[in-house]
């Protein structure tokens, strides 16, 4: 049943730990094959492109006291037979992306065992470090078992199961299902019959006419947001680059949980929708944006048949919530419909999506940025602190609510409102929020770009969220009073920033970037009047015109646009001009728009007529 051999895979193993690898055989499944799902295709693109430590996921499962190693291994074997995803591989020729998945009826996998005479001082943190280390090794899609498991044992008794998982077949929600099933087996419980969609069943639905129509509708929904919404939520001074290293701030608050429950009771809204509404309202207030655009990845399991599916459904639901309403209650009444619309449009062909994004990027002249992600995992089957970035909570609070009782009162540092800082994680977002729990504590983790938020400002933002919930618990809150209610102030962008084509941009920065990419030729950028006759809706339709003094260089609008598009990544303050006007020489008064208008025009156009 089980064979043993020495294992040298794990680094930094304590000298007194005995290491072994168990080879585990399983059988009893059904052999199947078929096309991959849209979610699998999306994640496989990332698996093949990204470094493994960035795309693999991990978790640490506690082992119930009294469990023997054989029982822990037997439970893992049962999971492999029960869940097709764990028996799935993706055969493909080298250098290509797989388009088919194969489910084995039988096979083997390995489990590493580290047996200790004495565990390190922080056993959970030690197990977490082993799980993180296991993420560094790439999973081979065509042959590897998708879980890399290490049992951390004390005197022969397993205490933790530390694991890395392939994101090609699992996501956070899938690991939650596996964890709950595993704990049920180890506690002597019986697993219910399977009712969730398997990956192959989902792939068949997606390939059917109804599924294809649903995917096309999702692309249309995304395209509208990408073409008309803010190209970046954090278009402001300091927002640079495409990856951000940020420390985790954890909030634990009974005050927040009580307030959330009271708002839900007063308004009749679901607690999850209330919290999402408050978070979006505060984020849009802080960024000075008319809409809150955020990815809500875990919400694409809103269908009952997908809730407990062991599969990777990691396709963003993209929420666009217009906050141009008078009060919190009005915003809440819109939020559920907006969220449901996002969830319904979260299944799409990833290749087609990126082709659409490339077209929209070139034609709008913007670079859509996934600045914000909001992951509410509080309703998953089992809490998953370890699968989330840097999610082990710190034991020592490093901040408190300025409005809370004095430090001498134990509630100032207790669960009424507690803030603690954790380690840094590099993420492709400006603000990432995970909601772990909403009752009896409001517990969430936030990673905020330190170039935009000092630690004090990050703490102030999180405490401001609790204050907003407390204010909304007793009555409706005017959205123009959020600064006074929460203590969170809108960003100050300074002179030279304008809202153009639905985005905050800096026309002087556009002129500087365009001049630099065209080898320093003089450039002047103006803001066109709105097309909508001065109405608030028309203001969002304003565009930029760039006047370029090319001198003797042979320059066309198409060449200017293509050159400018190359400088957009990592520069959310930039938006391409809608029109490029090429003149010979700059006017004597180069800072006056009227003077540029009097220059002889050599050529002009949108620059979108062809790709360079």
């Amino acid at each position: 049943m089980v064979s043993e051999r020495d294992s040298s895979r794990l680094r930094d193993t304590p000298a007194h730990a005995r290491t072994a690898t168990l080879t585990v055989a399983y059988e009893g499944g059904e052999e199947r094959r078929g096309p991959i799902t849209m979610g699998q295709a999306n994640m496989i693109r990332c698996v093949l492109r990204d470094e493994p430590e960035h795309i693999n996921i991990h978790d640490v499962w506690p082992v119930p006291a009294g469990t023997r190693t054989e029982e822990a291994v037997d439970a893992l074997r049962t999971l492999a037979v029960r869940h097709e995803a764990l028996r799935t591989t993706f055969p493909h020729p080298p250098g290509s992306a797989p388009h088919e998945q194969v489910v084995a009826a039988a096979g083997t996998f390995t489990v590493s065992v580290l047996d200790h005479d004495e565990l390190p001082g922080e056993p959970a943190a030690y197990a977490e470090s082993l799980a993180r280390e296991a993420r560094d090794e790439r999973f081979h899609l065509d042959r590897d078992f998708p879980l890399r498991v290490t049992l951390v044992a004390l005197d022969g008794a397993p205490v933790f199961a530390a694991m890395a998982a392939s994101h090609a077949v699992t996501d956070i929600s899938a690991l939650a299902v596996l964890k709950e099933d595993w704990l049920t087996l180890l506690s002597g419980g019986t697993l219910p019959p399977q009712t969730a969609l398997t990956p192959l069943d989902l792939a068949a639905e997606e390939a059917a006419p109804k599924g294809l129509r649903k995917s096309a509708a999702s692309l249309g929904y995304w395209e509208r947001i990408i073409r008309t919404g803010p190209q970046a939520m954090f278009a402001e001074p300091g927002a640079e680059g495409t990856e951000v290293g940020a420390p985790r701030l954890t909030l634990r608050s009974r005050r927040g949980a009580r307030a959330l429950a009271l708002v839900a009771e007063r308004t009749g809204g679901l607690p999850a929708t209330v919290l999402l509404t408050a978070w979006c309202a505060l984020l849009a207030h802080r960024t000075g944006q008319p809409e809150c655009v955020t990815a809500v990845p875990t919400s694409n399991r809103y269908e009952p048949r997908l809730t407990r599916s062991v599969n990777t459904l990691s396709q963003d639901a993209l929420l666009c919530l217009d906050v141009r309403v008078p009060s919190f209650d009005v915003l809440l009444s819109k939020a559920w419909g907006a969220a449901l619309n996002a969830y319904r449009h979260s299944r799409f062909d990833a290749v087609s999506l990126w082709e659409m994004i490339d077209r929209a990027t070139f034609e709008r002249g913007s670079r859509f940025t996934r600045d914000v992600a909001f992951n509410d995992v509080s309703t998953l089957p089992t809490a998953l602190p370890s699968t989330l970035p840097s999610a082990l909570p710190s034991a020592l609070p490093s901040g408190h609510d300025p409005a809370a009782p004095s430090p001498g009162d134990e509630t100032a540092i207790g669960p009424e409102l507690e803030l603690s800082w954790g380690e840094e994680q590099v993420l492709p977002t400006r603000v990432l929020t995970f909601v772990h729990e909403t009752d009896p504590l409001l517990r969430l983790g936030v990673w905020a770009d330190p170039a935009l938020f000092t630690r004090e400002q990050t703490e102030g933002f999180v405490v401001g969220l609790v204050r907003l919930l407390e204010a909304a618990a007793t009555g409706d809150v005017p959205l123009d009073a959020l600064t006074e209610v929460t203590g969170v102030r809108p960003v100050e962008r300074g002179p030279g920033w304008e809202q153009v084509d639905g985005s905050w941009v800096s026309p002087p920065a556009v002129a500087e970037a365009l001049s630099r990419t065209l080898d320093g030729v003089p450039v002047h950028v103006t803001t066109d009047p709105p097309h909508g006759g001065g109405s608030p809706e028309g203001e969002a339709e304003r565009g930029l015109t760039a006047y370029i003094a090319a001198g003797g260089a042979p320059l066309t609008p198409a060449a200017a646009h293509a050159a400018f598009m190359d400088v957009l990544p990592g520069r959310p303050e930039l938006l391409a001009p809608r029109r490029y006007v090429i003149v010979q020489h700059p006017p004597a008064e180069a800072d006056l728009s009227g003077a540029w208008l009097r220059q002889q025009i050599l050529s002009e156009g949108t620059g979108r007529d062809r790709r360079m």
Side-chain angles (χ1 to χ4, degrees):
M1 179 178 69
V2 172
S3 64
E4 297 191 13
R5 62 179 175 82
D6 289 339
S7 173
S8 58
R9 181 181 61 79
L10 294 169
R11 303 186 301 271
D12 302 324
T13 302
H16 55 278
R18 294 170 294 279
T19 66
T21 296
L22 311 180
T23 299
V24 185
Y26 65 86
E27 61 181 352
E30 180 184 357
E31 184 174 348
R32 303 175 69 196
R33 67 191 307 140
I36 61 177
T37 69
M38 293 178 181
Q40 287 172 333
N42 184 43
M43 291 313 306
I44 285 172
R45 290 177 73 253
C46 300
V47 168
L48 296 176
R49 179 193 64 203
D50 297 345
E51 293 301 315
E53 64 269 23
H54 294 156
I55 192 60
N56 293 337
I57 56 178
H58 74 281
D59 196 15
V60 175
W61 298 352
V63 180
T67 300
R68 294 178 291 111
T69 298
E70 293 79 4
E71 293 171 325
V73 170
D74 284 343
L76 291 170
R77 178 188 290 106
T78 300
L79 295 184
V81 175
R82 177 178 172 85
H83 297 290
E84 288 190 0
L86 301 185
R87 296 181 277 117
T88 297
T89 53
F90 304 91
H92 60 285
S96 66
H99 298 284
E100 184 182 45
Q101 56 182 313
V102 175
V103 179
T108 62
F109 61 90
T110 60
V111 177
S112 298
V113 179
L114 293 182
D115 191 15
H116 304 72
D117 296 324
E118 182 180 356
L119 289 173
E122 297 184 11
Y126 168 59
E128 165 82 3
S129 70
L130 294 175
R132 283 188 173 278
E133 178 186 314
R135 288 174 58 160
D136 296 344
E137 184 178 341
R138 191 175 298 277
F139 282 92
H140 297 95
L141 298 175
D142 59 341
R143 61 180 185 271
D144 284 355
F145 188 73
L147 299 181
R148 192 172 290 141
V149 184
T150 298
L151 292 179
V152 180
L154 176 63
D155 291 330
V159 179
F160 293 104
M163 68 181 64
S166 170
H167 217 331
V169 297
T170 60
D171 57 18
I172 290 171
S173 300
L175 283 183
V177 174
L178 292 173
K179 180 179 183 178
E180 185 176 59
D181 282 359
W182 192 67
L183 292 174
T184 298
L185 291 169
L186 293 183
S187 64
T190 301
L191 297 179
Q194 282 278 49
T195 58
L197 280 178
T198 67
L200 281 172
D201 293 338
L202 179 58
E205 283 198 3
E206 292 174 342
K210 182 179 179 181
L212 295 176
R213 290 194 298 270
K214 188 171 186 177
S215 176
S218 295
L219 293 180
Y221 170 86
W222 275 69
E223 184 166 7
R224 180 188 63 78
I225 296 173
I226 288 172
R227 286 188 180 274
T228 63
Q231 66 165 341
M233 286 300 293
F234 288 95
E236 58 189 66
E240 296 181 358
T242 57
E243 290 196 343
V244 173
R248 183 205 68 244
L249 175 64
T250 298
L251 165 76
R252 299 174 68 250
S253 176
R254 292 186 183 276
R255 283 173 48 188
R258 285 197 300 267
L260 178 59
L262 288 171
V263 180
E265 181 181 356
R266 182 183 68 79
T267 62
L270 295 172
T273 307
V274 170
L275 183 60
L276 177 62
T277 303
W279 187 84
C280 283
L282 194 59
L283 184 72
H285 171 72
R286 158 60 182 78
T287 57
Q289 296 283 11
E291 296 172 308
C292 179
V293 177
T294 177
V296 279
T298 57
S299 299
N300 53 19
R301 288 178 176 261
Y302 71 98
E303 293 185 28
R305 294 180 306 153
L306 296 177
T307 302
R308 296 188 60 83
S309 177
V310 175
N311 191 1
T312 184
L313 300 176
S314 292
Q315 293 186 276
D316 282 348
L318 188 65
L319 172 68
C320 183
L321 181 60
D322 192 329
V323 300
R324 288 169 289 191
V325 295
S327 70
F328 181 85
D329 285 6
V330 178
L331 186 63
L332 178 60
S333 69
K334 296 175 55 179
W336 170 241
L340 186 60
N341 206 22
Y343 306 158
R344 286 172 173 166
H345 293 101
S346 61
R347 191 185 298 178
F348 44 78
D349 181 281
V351 173
S352 297
L353 179 73
W354 279 107
E355 289 174 348
M356 178 275 291
I357 290 176
D358 286 343
R359 289 194 305 271
T361 294
F362 183 81
E363 292 166 5
R364 188 184 185 190
S366 67
R367 176 69 63 174
F368 174 74
T369 306
R370 188 180 182 269
D371 264 353
V372 182
F374 182 87
N375 245 356
D376 188 343
V377 298
S378 62
T379 59
L380 295 184
T382 308
L384 281 174
S386 303
T387 62
L388 313 179
S390 306
L392 279 178
S394 170
L396 299 176
S398 63
H400 64 279
D401 180 4
S406 66
D409 188 321
E410 66 177 7
T411 59
I413 58 173
E416 281 296 296
L417 198 152
E418 176 187 86
L419 301 174
S420 58
W421 286 94
E423 63 187 68
E424 182 176 296
Q425 181 86 9
V426 177
L427 302 165
T429 56
R430 304 284 179 197
V431 171
L432 169 65
T433 301
F434 273 95
V435 180
H436 303 279
E437 186 179 0
T438 58
D439 182 60
L441 287 177
L442 176 60
R443 181 167 62 92
L444 52 85
V446 175
W447 293 257
D449 185 351
L452 306 178
F453 293 83
T454 65
R455 286 203 171 198
E456 182 180 8
Q457 289 170 334
T458 304
E459 292 180 353
F461 186 87
V462 171
V463 171
L465 179 67
V466 174
R467 289 172 167 170
L468 175 55
L469 291 171
E470 289 179 325
T474 59
D476 198 3
V477 178
L479 293 189
D480 60 7
L482 287 183
T483 298
E484 293 75 18
V485 170
T486 67
V488 176
R489 297 183 176 277
V491 63
E492 295 181 5
R493 290 184 170 84
W497 286 81
E498 300 183 47
Q499 274 202 301
V500 178
D501 190 19
S503 298
W504 279 104
V505 299
S506 170
V510 172
E512 183 275 333
L514 185 55
S515 173
R516 179 175 297 183
T517 196
L518 295 177
D519 297 325
V521 300
V523 175
H524 180 73
V525 174
T526 65
T527 305
D528 300 332
H531 297 302
S535 67
E537 293 79 8
E539 288 296 317
E541 295 300 320
R542 297 191 303 166
L544 301 175
T545 294
Y547 295 88
I548 306 170
L555 182 65
T556 65
H561 184 66
F564 185 77
M565 293 301 295
D566 289 339
V567 304
L568 280 183
R571 299 286 302 275
E573 78 278 17
L574 302 183
L575 184 73
R578 283 187 176 171
R579 192 165 64 104
Y580 299 87
V581 180
I582 314 297
V583 302
Q584 186 79 29
H585 300 294
E589 298 175 298
D591 59 337
L592 297 180
S593 299
W596 284 88
L597 288 170
R598 292 190 292 271
Q599 296 300 102
Q600 182 181 359
I601 296 175
L602 302 179
S603 64
E604 62 179 312
T606 66
R608 278 78 161 172
D609 50 337
R610 65 185 179 90
R611 289 183 179 272
M612 300 302 293

